[in-house]
Amino acid sequence: MAVRATVIRFPSDPDAQDSSGVPWGVTVTPFASKDENGNSPVYGSGGDLIPRCENCWAYYNTYCDQDQWAWTCSLCGTLNGLSSETISRYSRPESAPENMSSFIDLEMPHFDIHKLVLISFYAAVEASEEEDMQARPVYVAAIDLASSDEFLELTKSALLAALEALAPGSLFGLATFSHKLGLYDVQGPIPVVKNVFLPADSDGTLPIELEDAMPLFSFLAPVETCKDRIASALETLRPTSSWDSTGGGQGLDRILLGGRGFGLAMETLISYLGSEHGNTFALARIFAFLSGPPDYGPGQLDTRRYGEQYASKGEDAELALLPEQTPFYKDLAAVAVQAGVCIDILAVTNEYTDLASLKFLSIDSGGSLFLYPNTDDSTLPQDMYRMLTRPYAFNCIMRLRTSTEFKHGNSYGHFFPDPQYENVQHVICCDSYATYAYDFDFANNYGFSRHTAELPMLQLAFQYTVIVPPTETNSKYTLKRRLRIRTMQFGVAHNFNELYDSVDPEVVLSILVHKVILASASEGVREGRMLLHDWLVILTAQYNEVIKSGVTEYGSSSGSLIDVTFSQCPQLQALPRLVFALLRNPLLRFHEEGIHPDYRIYLQCLFSGLEASSLHRAIYPLLTSYATPDKLAYPRHSLSRAALLTSESPIFFLDAFTTLIVFYSSTADPTLPYPPPHDCLLRREINKVKQERSVTPRLVFIRGGQEDASVFENYLIEEQDVDGSGFSSVMGFVSFLEEISQSVLEYIK
């Protein structure tokens, strides 16, 4: 569980918070195996035995004062009694992890899984009466047949990779959708498919129940015995466009050809699987492979708005395309959560698919949203393998508590807020990369008192379930419920210098990205850009007020009086560049610059779940140079053409998170091996980067002067105009700083 704060020393009072200009909050990666400093939790049992504060419900921790019979809560100061069992346990300190570390991970007893059903609106695990509940993981592939041969070939490759990644004992179901829903039984000698027509009318009642068409136990096949048969079934898939040429498309089929009944197919599959939630499985994952917009039956989307937004009489084009056009998929996600089904959407398309409406089905149900613009260089098979081999927790409940002087305001990330309990979030499926964010406000007018020794406290509790594979002693999958608790103490900044010196710019960037995504979703991209610009102006003005760096005459129009580079504070110096890069990122660039609305939605979903260092890389890529493939020249360059020209290095490596580019300059010695050999330093660095990523980056090699280098040059943003009107006559980043300086002068006036 990694927790990073925007400032290591918290602002002392509401005035200091407002005047500093720095966002106050934290990012949390709850299922990370280590904390932000690389330390592991102390593991143990007895998660139900930890004393709780009777006032604020915080858990006992190493920061609490304890005497023989009682303990004082480190968050709210309440004195609590200790039970005789706890006193006895605490007389042997090594028997209680909560006395050994402020970062603990404890097993919960079996009964707590049952009890969770009562306390959570989203039933966590409806445990059956038998103790050995079938805890087998269930995976279902739902494949779009209203597609092309290339799409189906890529999907087959992805599923073959997935079958290699799935653990023995997993159950796998294969389904297809068009204007029909196809269910495959692969457990016999030859695959059998049962097709159910999807009605086009809005109430979506099927002519037959899926359970009657094919019992669920026939549909869900054990992976270890049926892998080859699943592969054989995949080979039989054909797109609907080819049906009529093979003589199979008669009557109604021919009329409905091309229909993509995605909404009803998902709704029906969720209900089909949900009937066995808690008996056959604890969590099911549906991988929905989509090649275009749903255009048939319930949940169909009108894609004409993509072509019409230019005729929207001067309205913001982004604002016309960012909100969802129907609540169908958001509502369906709530049904999926209830049924214990998590949905990953894997869209392979360059046509407008309206991911703004579809995204809720994946992110609200705990799944991921992937977008691949074409089948040629898609990393879909690698992403599938990676997604299924990393550990994940499910049915997670997360609660952040603070000491009494402050409280958390907004929370950000892919979770469900609890409908009953405030500040409780449900995460249906959580891997070790998934990151959430919170921002803070003061709960009083005076802040943290200077006269007491109490320091700000945070406690994050994360309760989750993992599926434990069979062992030599136990032949079945088992569910383990665990409780992870992290308690942290922070300092207080007594002046602005202390506050600014404790800033973590990557976490500040994370909070800013969450805020601008929300602003642009509700008020448009222009509003998101203005919010970001104004924030930097206010921060720069407050900083200049603090240091009084030569600002003697507010009326002066000379920008040189304003320190826009934060020259006296190293911790703030990265921020102007990060804001400039964020304004140049497709997330906030204008539709007129050719930013596809679905790509923007994909970036919103990706960025809002990324850990702060990964987000930094995605917003401001890392550019390094090499003298030879085996010798590093410079570890970091600014993203400018000037940096390339002044550096005499022949090889550059650019890491933009989702894309990695190796660029050989046109003046590179022709005897240098190209592409770099597999055993060289540069390749080892590339492999290390790929290994650590949550998504598979695309790797591109470019030989300058011989191949089109525009993909690489587009990342050299510092000479680009911030508003996207091409390369400016004045230098892009430099003129941006001058404009900020002018805005600061006006703001101070």
Side-chain angles (χ1 to χ4, degrees), residues 40-56:
S40 298
V42 171
Y43 289 93
S45 58
D48 58 317
L49 301 176
I50 303 185
R52 306 277 302 264
C53 173
E54 55 197 41
N55 175 46
C56 72

Side-chain angles (χ1 to χ4, degrees), residues 530-714:
M530 278 166 57
L531 177 89
L532 197 57
H533 175 276
D534 293 352
W535 172 80
L536 183 59
V537 168
I538 292 167
L539 174 70
T540 311
Q542 307 291 38
Y543 162 81
N544 277 274
E545 285 282 290
V546 169
I547 61 164
K548 295 286 186 207
S549 58
V551 182
T552 52
E553 189 179 347
Y554 288 166
S556 165
S557 62
S558 165
S560 62
L561 295 177
I562 299 290
D563 178 6
V564 283
T565 60
F566 301 100
S567 61
Q568 295 184 35
C569 182
Q571 293 307 108
L572 298 179
Q573 284 169 12
L575 290 171
R577 249 191 184 85
L578 292 177
V579 169
F580 176 79
L582 185 49
L583 290 167
R584 287 301 305 137
N585 190 278
L587 183 76
L588 288 179
R589 271 160 61 193
F590 292 120
H591 191 83
E592 301 87 271
E593 284 189 75
I595 304 303
H596 196 291
D598 285 337
Y599 183 57
R600 194 191 305 280
I601 295 292
Y602 161 70
L603 289 181
Q604 284 185 2
C605 295
L606 176 68
F607 289 177
S608 56
L610 282 185
E611 185 275 324
S613 301
S614 298
L615 184 60
H616 180 190
R617 190 64 66 250
I619 300 294
Y620 194 92
L622 177 66
L623 181 63
T624 51
S625 62
Y626 286 76
T628 71
D630 260 316
K631 187 180 177 191
L632 181 70
Y634 294 101
R636 184 181 296 271
H637 295 275
S638 63
L639 297 176
S640 67
R641 291 163 186 252
L644 263 67
L645 297 171
T646 53
S647 158
E648 293 175 4
S649 308
I651 304 170
F652 293 88
F653 173 48
L654 182 119
D655 175 4
F657 192 74
T658 53
T659 306
L660 307 176
I661 300 175
V662 176
F663 176 76
Y664 278 55
S665 78
S666 54
T667 56
D669 183 341
T671 61
L672 283 172
Y674 174 88
H678 282 280
D679 56 351
C680 69
L681 175 70
L682 175 53
R683 281 281 192 174
R684 287 197 295 275
E685 178 59 27
I686 290 169
N687 292 336
K688 178 171 171 281
V689 165
K690 286 170 106 174
Q691 200 63 41
E692 292 167 352
R693 281 289 127 94
S694 56
V695 296
T696 311
R698 194 167 62 98
L699 179 59
V700 181
F701 295 100
I702 299 173
R703 211 165 189 159
Q706 297 179 34
E707 294 162 341
D708 178 14
S710 58
V711 175
F712 175 66
E713 288 167 354
N714 288 341

Side-chain angles (χ1 to χ4, degrees), residues 71-143:
W71 60 282
T72 305
C73 176
S74 59
L75 274 75
C76 72
T78 300
L79 186 68
N80 298 274
L82 285 170
S83 68
S84 52
E85 293 89 347
T86 305
I87 292 168
S88 156
R89 206 160 57 91
Y90 285 1
S91 66
R92 309 183 305 280
E94 69 289 342
S95 70
E98 64 267 31
N99 275 324
M100 297 160 63
S101 172
S102 59
F103 181 21
I104 56 177
D105 190 305
L106 309 179
E107 202 168 305
M108 301 291 280
H110 240 16
F111 72 84
D112 220 75
I113 293 179
H114 301 220
K115 197 164 45 168
L116 208 65
V117 180
L118 304 176
I119 62 166
S120 164
F121 172 75
Y122 303 108
V125 177
E126 293 177 16
S128 63
E129 289 306 306
E130 306 114 51
E131 207 43 43
D132 59 335
M133 168 182 162
Q134 288 288 305
R136 301 175 77 167
V138 167
Y139 303 95
V140 172
I143 303 171

